[in-house]
């Protein structure tokens, strides 16, 4: 902001000095008898004065706008500092940190596509093998019935102090303290023996760290922290790694549901196939019965023609009846038998005539 104002001032000063010099020269020449050829110089000076006045107005306007923007930035920075301080103060409170971790965990589960009370349960109460009541933040159920216990209560007061530290030595001390706090929480989590409190639980507990930066900072001071947690049956997971785990669980559930639905479809297909075989048998017997009925009808018509119509025609010859007796004709329709399509063989229990 100061450099811009200085530059504008220097340019304006140079232009003003040029204008004053040209004005002085013009005044001296006006005192001496001069021809009218100096009129273009006067017009140029007037144009220069107008140009300088416009530049000054623009400079004043730009300076005012810049001052207003700087004031707005200052107010925003002050508000941001207050909000950041309030957030840091809130995160120093243990129950607020725990609630934030629970919210992060819930959001990850929703993004992974798991369903509550079907694929996972939040904060279930149970008793471990030592008779102590435990209450993890989340228990995820796998497709094979196994369960994975997740805990999201992680201390990171040391990490906040490390971020706020301005001295490099103090920062390293706070980072080391953060690593010690995380290691101590791993030990406390291993002592709760979550897997023994739930049937078919996996032999480890997932320690959810709400931010990747928390784990990265701790590993700067203690690179062997992950290996130590593994030896204590604790798996430290950040949002990225836990999301991959939960998506794998969700995919296994979808695969299991598809397998169950495929088995149901196969069972329905078998039942439909059996019923189609039964229906085919009924159609075959019905066709045979219809063919036999046609033959019986034709036999009856033949007997009717030879035995009855001969006597009835004598009534017609004697003029007793007004109209002759109609003569029924034989039925020549054939019943179409069931046959397999060309090039195919009968399948299953289907019967073709």
């Amino acid at each position: 902001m100061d450099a811009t104002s200085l530059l504008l001032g220097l340019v304006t000063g140079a232009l003003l000095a040029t204008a004053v010099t040209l004005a002085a020269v013009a005044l001296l020449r006006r005192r001496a008898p001069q021809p009218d050829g100096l009129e273009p110089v006067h017009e140029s000076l007037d144009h220069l004065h107008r140009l300088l006045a416009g530049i000054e107005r623009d400079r004043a306007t730009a300076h005012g706008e810049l001052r207003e923007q700087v004031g707005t930035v200052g107010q925003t920075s002050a508000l941001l500092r207050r909000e950041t301080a309030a957030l840091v103060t809130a995160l120093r409170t243990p129950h607020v940190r725990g609630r934030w971790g629970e919210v992060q965990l819930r959001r990850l589960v929703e993004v992974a596509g798991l369903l509550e009370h079907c694929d996972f349960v939040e904060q279930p109460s149970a008793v471990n093998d030592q008779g102590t009541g435990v209450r993890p933040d989340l228990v995820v159920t796998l497709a094979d019935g196994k369960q994975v216990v997740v805990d999201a209560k992680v201390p990171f007061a040391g990490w906040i102090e490390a971020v706020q530290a301005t001295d490099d030595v103090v920062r390293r001390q706070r980072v080391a303290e953060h690593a010690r706090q995380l290691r101590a929480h791993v030990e406390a989590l291993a002592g709760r023996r979550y897997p023994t409190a739930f049937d078919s639980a996996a032999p480890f507990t997932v320690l959810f760290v709400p931010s990747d930066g928390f784990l990265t900072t701790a590993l700067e001071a203690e690179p062997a922290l992950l290996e130590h947690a593994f030896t204590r049956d604790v798996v430290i997971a950040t949002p990225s790694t836990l999301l991959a785990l939960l998506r794998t669980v969700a995919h296994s559930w979808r695969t299991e549901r598809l397998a169950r639905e495929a088995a149901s479809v196969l069972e329905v297909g078998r039942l439909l196939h059996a019923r189609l075989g039964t229906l085919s048998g009924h159609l075959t017997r019905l066709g045979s019965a219809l063919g036999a009925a046609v033959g019986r009808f034709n036999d009856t018509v033949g007997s009717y023609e030879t035995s009855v119509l001969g006597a009835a025609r004598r009534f017609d010859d004697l003029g007793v009846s007004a109209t002759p007796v109609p003569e029924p004709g034989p039925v020549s329709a054939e019943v179409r038998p069931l046959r397999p399509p060309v090039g195919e063989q009968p399948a299953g229990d289907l019967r073709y005539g």
Side-chain angles (χ1 to χ4, degrees), residues 1-21:
M1 177 183 66
D2 295 338
T4 304
S5 301
L6 180 60
L7 181 60
L8 289 174
L10 291 175
V11 173
T12 304
L15 293 175
L16 288 175
T18 303
V20 170
T21 302

Side-chain angles (χ1 to χ4, degrees), residues 142-144 249-263:
L142 304 181
D144 59 353
V249 173
H251 177 72
S252 65
W253 270 116
R254 286 193 294 269
T255 304
E256 179 68 18
R257 294 190 186 102
L258 289 176
R260 289 199 301 266
E261 292 174 358

Side-chain angles (χ1 to χ4, degrees), residues 69-91:
Q69 292 178 0
V70 170
T72 303
V73 171
Q75 294 176 359
T76 305
S77 300
L79 180 60
L80 182 60
R81 283 196 298 270
R82 289 196 298 269
E83 295 294 334
T84 304
L87 178 60
V88 171
T89 303
L91 290 178

